[in-house]
């Protein structure tokens, strides 16, 4: 009798959880299908503040960014002529993830626009990442959609994507949820599934690279900003070592012929002054991509615009085709280069990473 009562109580609890999730998915789906949101009151501008430095304790889950509270700043809904900023939720066999989607204005009937997937870093959410990178402004001008998946704090307390947890299978499960979000956006919105690129910061960069290794044929370009190459870590402890540049990268299991046929080119951006994720990881990420394709590194060239930080750019090419591009920024710490000064995780003095990411992806879309 007691066993039956316990079973009944468990079933009622499961039913309540399923009902709550279903309601959340229905509400988010309705919002995602709406053409645009009503304008909200503009939010107060935050004072510029430097990114915090925090020590990493071995007992804490690895993070790839200063330990800060997630942003509670909500971006005001764009006006009708500035595109739409909507919510959605992707539900899969391993859980659910919310996302934000920016759609540019003026998309004609029957037109399908490119999609750029942006994965935030630790201590961030979709709103703060969009505010920091200001990618929506470029999307409005260049007419492409931007998808911002959001990590669930129940999956990682610091909001990090669990890119490193490959031994348990959690990393792959999260990757499949992200693919579910991409597929959903392509099905529900005027997005071209043949023109999809992905970029990320820190933990988001590492997850972006992992996603591409699992589904290389689905992406035309991948950009890693301050991240770690796939295969470098497989657990919490190995991720901590990788952040300090103490882990060797694992070669990609792909032939040069397959790499040339369906793998997207890689753009790596990393700050020379990054004390959170060692700059050695930037070179390692570009090198592992280049090695898989049999590409050779060219001579680095120094570029600088105005008073912004200078950067060293190196191309890795195979038979005239650029397989990987490494951009190392002088004086840049663990932050989005050229990011908004009002946001943590951004350095307005750096060269504009957002413009570079889009220009890189657009070249691949043109073929």
């Amino acid at each position: 009798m007691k066993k039956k009562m316990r079973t009944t109580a468990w079933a009622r609890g499961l039913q309540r959880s399923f009902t709550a999730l279903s309601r959340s998915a229905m509400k988010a789906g309705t919002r995602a299908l709406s053409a645009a949101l009503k304008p909200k009151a503009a939010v107060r501008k935050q004072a510029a503040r430097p990114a915090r430095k925090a020590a990493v304790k071995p007992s804490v889950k690895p993070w790839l960014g200063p330990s800060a509270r997630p942003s509670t700043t909500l971006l005001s809904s764009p006006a009708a002529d500035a595109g739409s900023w909507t919510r959605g939720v992707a539900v899969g066999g391993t859980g659910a993830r919310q996302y934000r989607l920016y759609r540019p204005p003026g998309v004609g009937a029957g037109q399908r626009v490119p999609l750029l997937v942006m994965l935030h870093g630790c201590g961030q959410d979709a709103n703060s990442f969009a505010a920091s990178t200001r990618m929506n402004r470029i999307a409005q001008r260049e007419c492409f959609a931007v998808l911002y998946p959001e990590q669930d704090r129940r999956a990682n307390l610091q909001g990090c994507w669990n890119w490193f947890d490959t031994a348990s299978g959690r990393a792959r499960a999260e990757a499949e949820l992200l693919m579910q979000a991409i597929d959903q956006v392509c099905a529900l919105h005027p997005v071209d599934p043949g023109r999809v690129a992905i970029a990320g910061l820190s933990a988001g960069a590492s997850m972006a690279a992992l996603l591409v290794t699992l589904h290389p044929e689905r992406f035309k370009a991948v950009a890693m900003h301050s991240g770690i190459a796939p295969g470098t870590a497989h657990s919490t402890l190995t991720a901590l070592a990788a952040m300090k540049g103490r882990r060797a990268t694992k070669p990609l299991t792909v032939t040069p012929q397959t790499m040339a046929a369906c793998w997207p080119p890689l753009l790596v951006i990393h700050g020379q002054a990054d004390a959170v994720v060692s700059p050695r990881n930037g070179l390692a990420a570009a090198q592992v991509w280049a090695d898989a394709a049999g590409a050779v590194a060219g001579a680095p060239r120094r570029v600088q615009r105005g008073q912004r930080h200078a950067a060293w750019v190196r191309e890795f090419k195979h038979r005239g085709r650029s397989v990987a591009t490494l951009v190392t920024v002088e004086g840049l710490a663990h932050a989005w280069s050229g990011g908004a000064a009002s946001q943590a995780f951004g350095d307005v003095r750096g060269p504009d990473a957002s413009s570079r990411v889009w220009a890189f992806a657009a070249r691949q879309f043109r073929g």
Side-chain angles (χ1 to χ4, degrees):
M1 184 66 177
K2 289 183 179 180
K3 182 177 180 181
K4 182 177 181 180
M5 291 176 65
R6 286 197 299 269
T7 302
T8 303
W10 176 84
R12 286 199 299 267
L14 180 62
Q15 181 62 37
R16 286 195 297 269
S17 299
F18 179 77
T19 301
L21 179 60
S22 299
R23 289 174 179 172
S24 175
M26 290 177 64
K27 289 179 181 179
T30 301
R31 286 191 292 265
L33 290 172
S34 61
L37 295 177
K38 295 181 180 180
K40 298 178 182 177
V43 297
R44 292 177 297 182
K45 293 183 178 179
Q46 296 181 346
R49 59 184 184 275
R52 300 176 185 174
K53 292 183 179 180
V56 181
K57 297 180 180 180
S59 60
V60 180
K61 288 286 186 181
W63 44 267
L64 293 184
S67 182
R69 289 185 178 182
S71 170
T72 55
T73 303
L74 294 179
L75 300 181
S76 56
S77 300
D81 60 351
S84 63
W85 181 240
T86 57
R87 288 186 183 273
V89 61
V91 180
T94 58
R97 291 295 183 273
Q98 295 187 41
Y99 61 79
R100 284 277 195 170
L101 177 69
Y102 174 78
R103 284 179 51 185
V107 180
Q111 180 183 358
R112 301 185 78 82
V113 300
L115 176 68
L116 177 60
V117 183
M118 294 283 286
L119 300 181
H120 63 75
C122 301
Q124 292 182 311
D125 54 24
N127 276 317
S128 62
F129 195 38
S132 177
T133 62
R134 295 174 285 199
M135 189 62 80
N136 292 357
R137 295 183 183 180
I138 300 174
Q140 178 185 348
R141 183 180 72 239
E142 302 295 335
C143 196
F144 63 93
V146 192
L147 171 63
Y148 300 89
E150 191 167 86
Q151 176 63 303
D152 193 321
R153 290 282 164 152
R154 290 168 295 185
N156 187 292
L157 291 177
Q158 293 176 317
C160 310
W161 298 101
N162 294 303
W163 60 273
F164 55 88
D165 205 353
T166 57
S168 71
R170 185 163 58 156
R172 187 174 190 125
E174 283 190 0
E176 296 311 314
L177 273 175
L178 291 171
M179 287 306 305
Q180 181 71 21
I182 293 169
D183 290 341
Q184 183 170 307
V185 166
C186 290
L188 295 177
H189 301 275
V191 168
D192 183 356
R195 290 186 294 166
V196 179
I198 187 167
L201 171 65
S202 198
S206 301
M207 179 55 82
L210 174 63
L211 197 60
V212 170
T213 64
L214 296 173
H215 302 280
E217 73 287 350
R218 296 294 306 275
F219 300 95
K220 292 296 185 183
V222 54
M224 297 177 63
H225 196 314
S226 310
I228 296 174
T232 309
H234 57 81
S235 64
T236 298
L237 292 179
T238 55
L240 289 169
M243 288 167 60
K244 298 180 183 298
R246 298 174 182 168
R247 291 278 300 178
T249 56
K250 183 179 178 181
L252 296 176
T253 55
V254 57
T255 65
Q257 294 77 15
T258 303
M259 191 84 175
C262 66
W263 278 60
L266 170 70
L267 169 65
V268 177
I269 302 173
H270 214 114
Q272 282 187 346
D274 194 333
V276 177
V277 178
S278 169
R280 290 194 290 269
N281 285 291
L283 174 59
Q287 193 67 59
V288 73
W289 226 258
D291 289 346
V296 178
R301 66 183 189 278
R302 189 175 186 270
V303 296
Q304 186 172 18
R305 176 173 293 182
Q307 298 301 310
R308 291 178 180 265
H309 296 315
W312 290 89
V313 182
R314 174 177 283 190
E315 299 281 352
F316 297 77
K317 294 185 176 182
H318 177 67
R319 296 181 179 177
R321 172 179 174 266
S322 182
V323 173
T325 303
L326 173 63
V327 180
T328 308
V329 184
E330 296 178 1
L332 179 68
H334 195 71
W336 187 268
S337 184
S342 62
Q343 297 287 321
F345 315 102
D347 185 349
V348 71
R349 300 167 299 169
D352 189 351
S354 295
S355 293
R356 182 176 283 274
V357 166
W358 169 246
F360 181 77
R363 285 196 299 272
Q364 317 314 319
F365 293 153
R366 290 192 295 268

